[in-house]
Each structure stands twice: as structure tokens, then as C-alpha cells.
Amino acid sequence: VSIDVATIERRGDVGGFVAPIPLEDQMFTWKSEREADIMISLASLAGERMFFDGDSSVGVGGDLRSATTVAMQMEGFAAMGTTVASHLVTKTTAGGLGQAVETGTDRMWLETPFGERVEARLQELLAQVDALLERDRIWVLALAHALEFHRTVPGQDIAAILEGTVGPTIDGRVYHDPVFQARLEEYHEAALAAHRASGDVSIVLPDPTANGHAHSGNGAGLALADIDLVEPMELLRADQHTTNGDERA
């Protein structure tokens, strides 16, 4: 995913978003791209469970809806699952267009063998996301820190953090320093303790810009549900097609 900007600045009822750089228009998308879309959506749940000791928030609801919708479309309409027949044949509207699976007009879908196959796909891809986040744990912490420290991070600075280079506003080299990485882990442990106790973070947010200076944390630690950026690093680096070219709330 090529990222234009990521932010945790609130906009209405949205706690933050990632805006991808629009790619060239594509008439069709491939199975691998659809699976990447699902993994990006599932990463918010996987990230919360991983970094908050199995806990998760209702903030992942929109992402789960997106993941389920794509999985149902793949399984029911595009032969991207274990069957070939298209449900479009029995879900045709008067206008000849297929019924959108997210309308809820057929609520029994997820309570059938079809729904079991959709759930199995989601569980399989969730396990892959878990493995990716575990492997790239420090970079998730690095991006989360940059967002809490700067609130809004341009795509070029996200790349600088991952690559250990100097971006337009962020020196990404500090995030590759083992000493600073240890401080990120220490801050996360303090934030997790605060989460469990419903209290304030006991230490200040590490300051990557100056020696001996620290930027005060927000008093509650970093809420991954608000950031909505906990995506597999493999997907961040790849030029994959996303669900759409608009902001992903």
C-alpha cells in the first residue's frame, strides 16, 4: 500500500485514518489483492489483541464489516473460495444488478455452510496477520509512536521510519536504534499497565528529536483502534491494490 498520510486527529466520530495514494484505475481485482484488502482490515483487531493482551475495542467494527463483505463477495460471486457457482443467480434484483451482501436482506447467509466458509477464510487470514505483526512488532510500535508524537505523519515519513532514512519531517534512523527501540517497548508496557488499571501512563512518551527532552503522552497510552494503522509491514511496503482509493476510516 502506498500511503499518502496517516493521522490520529479526530474527525467527527472517526478516530483516525490512513489515506492511500490512488493507483491507476483497474476494472478488475485479483484474488490476492482481495485477500490483501481483508488482511488490512483484520489487522486492527489483530493489533489490538496483540498489544493489549487479548483485549479489543468496538473501534474495529467498521474494519470487520469491510473484511466480511469482501470475503462474502469472494466466496459467493467470484469463485475465489471453495465453490464455483455464483450466488448472483439467486440474488438478482429487478434492475439486473447483484444484491450487495452487506445490505442485511439475507441475514441467514452467515448461519449456513456458506457462512462457515467465509468465517474459515477470515480466521485463516487473521492468523497470517497475527504472524506478520508478531514478526514486525517493533515497526508497529515505531509507527504508533510516530503517530502519537506527531499526530499526523505523511507517507514519505512512514517510509523513512521503515527504511531508516531521513524523511521530510521525521528522521527515521532513530527508530532503528536498539536503545530507542527498547524505550518504545518500555513505553508500551507502561501503556498496557495503564490500560489494565484504567489509569494514566506512568512514563512520558519517548522523544526522538532531542536528548533529555520528552513529549508528554496523552495520559491513556496509544489506542490502536483510534490509529487504524496497524497493518502488516509486508503490505505497507508492497504496491498492492486497496479496497478503494479513498480514505479508510
Side-chain angles (χ1 to χ4, degrees):
V1 178
S2 298
I3 295 176
D4 180 37
V5 66
T7 183
I8 55 173
E9 297 287 354
R10 292 189 177 278
R11 294 188 180 182
D13 59 352
V14 177
F17 62 86
V18 178
I21 297 175
L23 303 178
E24 294 182 2
D25 289 339
Q26 291 180 280
M27 182 175 293
F28 304 109
T29 55
W30 295 85
K31 177 182 177 181
S32 58
E33 295 172 324
R34 296 279 79 188
E35 289 180 339
D37 293 337
I38 292 174
M39 292 175 71
I40 288 173
S41 294
L42 292 178
S44 58
L45 175 63
E48 286 193 354
R49 288 178 173 177
M50 175 178 171
F51 289 97
F52 290 98
D53 198 21
D55 202 1
S56 60
S57 74
V58 297
V60 304
D63 287 327
L64 296 184
R65 178 185 177 188
S66 296
T68 304
T69 298
V70 174
M72 291 179 72
Q73 290 170 341
M74 293 175 68
E75 183 71 35
F77 301 144
M80 292 181 176
T82 56
T83 60
V84 176
S86 172
H87 287 267
L88 191 63
V89 174
T90 58
K91 302 298 177 187
T92 306
T93 64
L97 298 176
Q99 171 185 323
V101 297
E102 70 269 18
T103 61
T105 53
D106 190 343
R107 293 176 294 176
M108 298 300 291
W109 271 26
L110 292 178
E111 300 175 18
T112 65
F114 170 83
E116 293 175 1
R117 296 195 298 273
V118 170
E119 178 66 23
R121 179 192 295 274
L122 294 173
Q123 292 287 353
E124 177 185 356
L125 293 176
L126 180 61
Q128 292 182 36
V129 174
D130 286 336
L132 285 170
L133 293 183
E134 184 64 41
R135 187 196 69 188
D136 289 323
R137 171 188 174 89
I138 190 59
W139 304 120
V140 177
L141 288 178
L143 292 173
H145 171 272
L147 279 166
E148 187 169 8
F149 191 84
H150 297 280
R151 309 301 293 177
T152 297
V153 181
Q156 288 179 301
D157 284 321
I158 291 175
I161 291 170
L162 295 176
E163 297 167 2
T165 58
V166 179
T169 61
I170 295 177
D171 187 345
R173 294 173 298 182
V174 67
Y175 291 101
H176 291 249
D177 178 0
V179 174
F180 193 77
Q181 290 179 352
R183 294 180 64 194
L184 293 181
E185 289 284 3
E186 180 185 13
Y187 181 77
H188 168 64
E189 287 300 320
L192 178 58
H195 174 73
R196 290 169 176 161
S198 298
D200 294 336
V201 181
S202 60
I203 62 177
V204 295
L205 184 69
D207 187 346
T209 63
N211 294 326
H213 297 284
H215 177 76
S216 178
N218 62 10
L222 192 55
L224 298 182
D226 289 344
I227 295 173
D228 203 14
L229 181 65
V230 188
E231 301 175 353
M233 298 301 102
E234 220 169 60
L235 301 180
L236 279 172
R237 299 186 184 113
D239 190 20
Q240 296 271 14
H241 173 71
T242 55
T243 302
N244 56 59
D246 300 323
E247 294 177 353
R248 190 170 73 83

